[in-house]
Amino acid sequence: TFTGPLTLRDVRFERSGGFRNATFEGDLQLRGGVFAGPAVFKHCDFRGDARLWHTQFEAHANFRRARFPSEAYLQAGDFTDYARFSRATFDGETTFELAEFDDDADFDRARFRGNHGFRRASFDRITDFSDVLVDGPLDLSTAEVATLELTPSDGSTDGGGSTHTDGGGAETQCVDLREATVGSGTLGQPASGAVLYDCTDATIGDVSFTDPRGGPVCDRVRFARTRFEDFVFENDDLDPAAAGWRLYEVADPGALPEASRGEPDTETLRQTFLNAKNGADETGNNTAASAFFYRELTYRRRRYAELARDGTRRWRDRAADATKWGRNLALMLSTGYGERP
């Protein structure tokens, strides 16, 4: 047990750093430290603030079942080997901003009760957030994840105001993937309740959206200006055709981050369907590409109309956009943009 504050700067642990079952009564400040051997913080109790800024873990880092009842700052940490935070509990503000995980990272059954974030963190291998418990959205916005495995637990409670309960009593949670990059993986649904995935401005690769109940999950994913790289539409339980190709509509928009609620503007919808069309073309899905192309041109026409009606613009520009609107309309009426007989 460490009864008072502990401050270490630029210290290097050549062998295993063994702190298993340790209790830190006061604040722990470890800035610029290096663990050349395994760093074992398993079952540790950090009762004060834990500040591990710019710390390098060159071997296995084990924080399994560690408890952080106060603030936990692990920003810019460098985890060269396997990092294990399974069943760790984070009650206060937590940040892994700019952290680098070069090997597998395990957050299975971790608990986040306070504000948290992985902004601009990078995960180079398999990252497991399966059965994670959060009060409010799980914030992975702006992170870069090579392979993400994520099935949030259905046991979360509404502690932060961002988790919602629908009329049937089952909760709707949100995973914030705005501006994130996910190369591959499985993003699932819990056994009960629902999880929304906000993929606004994200880049999505070979990712599967699944539901153990076998139902369609298109209304559990919000795509807006999302870029698709090797993403297969209509994979597993995702069926955009059954949802009328409305990629941006979700079942409970109130559970989304505030910036993602409401109807997207016309330009956002045009860009969304353009990106979806390009992604479907890349994987050879002609049916989806055709549907997305039709909607892209539809929203392009609506955007021309908005620009033509904008009284703050020069009349010549408004006239040019009105002409484009007319040509677009004529193409739709005559050929259905080449997609309908």
Side-chain angles (χ1 to χ4, degrees):
T1 300
F2 297 87
T3 58
L6 179 61
T7 300
L8 300 172
R9 185 181 180 93
D10 299 326
V11 66
R12 181 179 179 88
F13 298 87
E14 290 292 346
R15 296 184 179 181
S16 175
F19 296 92
R20 179 172 178 169
N21 296 317
T23 298
F24 296 86
E25 299 281 359
D27 294 346
L28 170 64
Q29 296 192 41
L30 178 59
R31 183 181 180 91
V34 177
F35 289 86
V40 182
F41 291 90
K42 185 178 180 180
H43 294 277
C44 278
D45 190 356
F46 299 89
R47 297 182 180 176
D49 294 346
R51 303 174 184 270
L52 285 73
W53 302 307
H54 301 274
T55 301
Q56 297 182 42
F57 299 89
E58 296 179 351
H60 173 47
N62 190 346
F63 288 83
R64 187 173 187 268
R65 289 187 180 272
R67 295 175 295 277
F68 299 86
S70 189
E71 298 175 345
Y73 297 108
L74 292 94
Q75 61 261 53
D78 188 355
F79 298 86
T80 304
D81 208 326
Y82 174 45
R84 190 174 190 183
F85 289 87
S86 55
R87 296 182 181 269
T89 301
F90 301 89
D91 291 336
E93 183 176 353
T94 302
T95 178
F96 285 85
E97 183 175 7
L98 293 171
E100 297 181 2
F101 295 85
D102 300 332
D103 206 323
D104 294 349
D106 183 6
F107 288 85
D108 175 59
R109 294 183 182 271
R111 173 74 171 183
F112 296 93
R113 289 193 174 98
N115 294 329
H116 61 277
F118 293 81
R119 294 188 61 81
R120 293 180 288 172
S122 62
F123 300 85
D124 292 344
R125 294 191 62 182
I126 299 173
T127 304
D128 189 0
F129 277 92
S130 295
D131 215 28
V132 68
L133 291 163
V134 294
D135 292 343
L138 175 62
D139 188 358
L140 296 175
S141 60
T142 73
E144 295 185 7
V145 189
T147 301
L148 178 60
E149 300 296 329
L150 199 158
T151 305
S153 170
D154 61 352
S156 296
T157 58
D158 189 356
S162 295
T163 304
H164 293 256
T165 303
D166 61 24
E171 292 180 350
T172 301
Q173 278 193 298
C174 177
V175 177
D176 186 352
L177 292 172
R178 291 176 296 168
E179 300 183 58
T181 299
V182 182
S184 62
T186 303
L187 306 184
Q189 294 292 318
S192 63
V195 175
L196 305 184
Y197 292 94
D198 186 359
C199 298
T200 301
D201 293 311
T203 300
I204 303 298
D206 185 15
V207 173
S208 296
F209 292 93
T210 63
D211 187 340
R213 295 159 292 190
V217 296
C218 198
D219 64 348
R220 311 286 174 84
V221 187
R222 184 182 193 268
F223 296 118
R225 297 185 300 269
T226 309
R227 293 168 295 279
F228 302 94
E229 297 180 356
D230 296 322
F231 179 78
V232 179
F233 289 96
E234 302 167 321
N235 67 0
D236 295 292
D237 298 319
L238 188 74
D239 188 359
W245 306 101
R246 294 186 293 274
L247 300 178
Y248 51 90
E249 292 185 358
V250 295
D252 185 2
L256 294 170
E258 186 173 355
S260 296
R261 299 172 191 171
E263 183 81 8
D265 60 44
T266 304
E267 178 57 23
T268 294
L269 292 172
R270 185 200 67 80
Q271 187 65 53
T272 299
F273 286 110
L274 172 61
N275 292 350
K277 185 261 294 182
N278 292 340
D281 275 337
E282 185 178 288
T283 59
N285 189 334
N286 295 328
T287 300
S290 173
F292 294 143
F293 178 66
Y294 186 91
R295 283 156 181 79
E296 176 214 340
L297 292 186
T298 297
Y299 286 107
R300 182 184 299 182
R301 185 180 76 247
R302 294 181 183 179
R303 182 57 178 158
Y304 287 148
E306 291 175 349
L307 293 172
R309 291 194 300 264
D310 186 353
T312 65
R313 303 174 68 238
R314 296 186 308 173
W315 70 267
R316 291 179 180 176
D317 294 333
R318 295 173 63 189
D321 285 316
T323 301
K324 294 176 182 177
W325 173 85
R327 291 173 178 171
N328 184 301
L329 178 62
L331 183 63
M332 188 274 291
L333 294 175
S334 60
T335 69
Y337 298 128
E339 302 299 327
R340 294 183 178 178

